[in-house]
Amino acid sequence: MPSKPRPDDKPAEDPHYVGHRERLRERFFSAGPDALSDYELLEMALFAAIPRRDTKPLAKTLLKKFGSFAEVIHAPEARLREVGLKNASVNQLKLIAAAAQRIAKGEIKRNVALSSWNEVIDYCRSSMAFADKEQFRLLFLDKRNQLIADEVQQTGTIDHTPVYPREVIKRALELSATALILVHNHPSGDPTPSQADIQMTKAIIDIAAPLGIAVHDHIIVGKNGHASLKGMRLI
C-alpha cells in the first residue's frame, strides 16, 4: 500500500531550464529579438525540437563550431549531425533557413531588382553564402528589371562549378528575359573573383549582347561578404 506523503514533503521542482525558457521567451516578446544574443536565439529555435533538455550548451557548441547563427542554420545536415543533432533539431534549423530564404526572395520579387540592390544581395547571401559546394545561380529579369525566374544552373565542387555560356543564354531566350544577374558562391568564404570568373562572365556578355540581353552584374558571395564584378569595374 503506497505511503501517504508527509506534511513536510515538497513537490518535485521543475528542471532549471523550464524557468529559463520562460524568462527567455518573455524577454524576446517584451524587448524584441535584438535584445537576445545569437546563442539565445538559437536556444529558442531548438525549444520545440528538444522539449525536455537545456538547449543553451548545445546552442553555444553550434556557434563555436560554425561561427554565427546564419552559418548554423545553413550548415550541411551531415555536419549538424556530427555535433549530435537529431532529426527534429536538424529539421527545425532547416525550416528557419528555408523561411529566411523565402522571405528574401519575396522582397526581390516585390521590388524592381536594380533599385533594391540590398534585397538582391541579402537574397543571394541567404541562398548561397554558406553552402559547402559552389553553385552558379541566374536571376532572369524582364525589361522593367523585375525578377522572372531564379534558377540554380549548376552545382559543382568545393572550388569549381562548370558554367556553359551558351546554355545560360539559351535559357534566357526561353524565358524571354532581357537581362541577367549572375551569382555564384565561394565556399572558402572569400568572395574575391578569380580570373576564371572574370573570363566566364565576359564570355556570357559577348554572346548575350548581340541578342539584346544585358548582363547587369556578376555577384560572388561568401561567408565574409560579397563582390560585384561591375562594382569592381571588371566587366
Side-chain angles (χ1 to χ4, degrees):
M1 186 173 183
S3 59
K4 294 181 180 180
R6 294 177 299 175
D8 59 347
D9 282 346
K10 294 181 180 179
E13 293 183 358
D14 288 333
H16 75 281
Y17 62 80
V18 174
H20 173 67
R21 288 186 176 200
E22 289 307 314
R23 290 190 296 273
L24 203 54
R25 287 191 184 102
E26 184 178 344
R27 187 147 58 93
F28 177 81
F29 288 111
S30 62
D34 288 343
L36 273 62
S37 64
D38 273 9
Y39 84 81
E40 289 172 322
L41 280 176
L42 201 49
E43 278 187 76
M44 290 191 68
L46 293 167
F47 282 175
I50 308 174
R52 294 181 181 85
R53 201 174 104 202
D54 184 1
T55 57
K56 182 191 290 187
L58 179 57
K60 289 187 172 182
T61 297
L62 287 165
L63 286 172
K64 184 177 180 180
K65 182 174 180 66
F66 297 107
S68 69
F69 185 92
E71 287 170 289
V72 170
I73 65 172
H74 288 287
E77 291 186 20
R79 293 195 64 202
L80 290 172
R81 295 183 197 281
E82 288 174 4
V83 184
L85 266 62
K86 306 301 182 186
N87 286 344
S89 298
V90 172
N91 291 342
Q92 181 77 356
L93 295 180
K94 291 306 171 188
L95 176 62
I96 295 170
Q101 184 174 337
R102 188 67 59 89
I103 291 167
K105 187 173 184 177
E107 288 299 317
I108 65 170
K109 277 192 171 181
R110 280 197 297 271
N111 293 295
V112 176
L114 293 185
S115 64
S116 307
W117 200 242
N118 286 340
E119 282 86 356
V120 175
I121 298 299
D122 287 347
Y123 172 61
C124 293
R125 293 204 74 226
S126 69
S127 302
M128 305 171 67
F130 305 104
D132 59 344
K133 293 182 180 179
E134 274 202 12
Q135 296 178 356
F136 182 68
R137 190 178 218 102
L138 295 165
L139 304 183
F140 298 94
L141 309 174
D142 65 17
K143 61 184 178 181
R144 296 177 299 159
N145 288 326
Q146 291 277 11
L147 185 68
I148 298 172
D150 157 30
E151 297 180 355
V152 175
Q153 195 200 46
Q154 297 288 339
T155 298
T157 64
I158 193 169
D159 60 1
H160 177 68
T161 305
V163 176
Y164 306 102
R166 293 189 183 280
E167 290 299 315
V168 171
I169 303 308
K170 178 183 176 183
R171 184 59 178 151
L173 291 171
E174 289 172 351
L175 293 169
S176 299
T178 57
L180 296 170
I181 298 174
L182 318 178
V183 191
H184 85 277
N185 63 311
H186 281 177
S188 67
D190 180 3
T192 304
S194 66
Q195 194 59 40
D197 294 334
I198 299 167
Q199 291 173 349
M200 176 266 289
T201 307
K202 289 181 177 179
I204 292 174
I205 291 171
D206 288 344
I207 299 172
L211 299 172
I213 300 171
V215 176
H216 287 319
D217 205 347
H218 184 170
I219 301 167
I220 303 172
V221 296
K223 289 179 286 187
N224 301 330
H226 71 275
S228 158
L229 268 67
K230 184 175 182 180
M232 297 172 74
R233 298 184 178 180
L234 294 173
I235 58 172

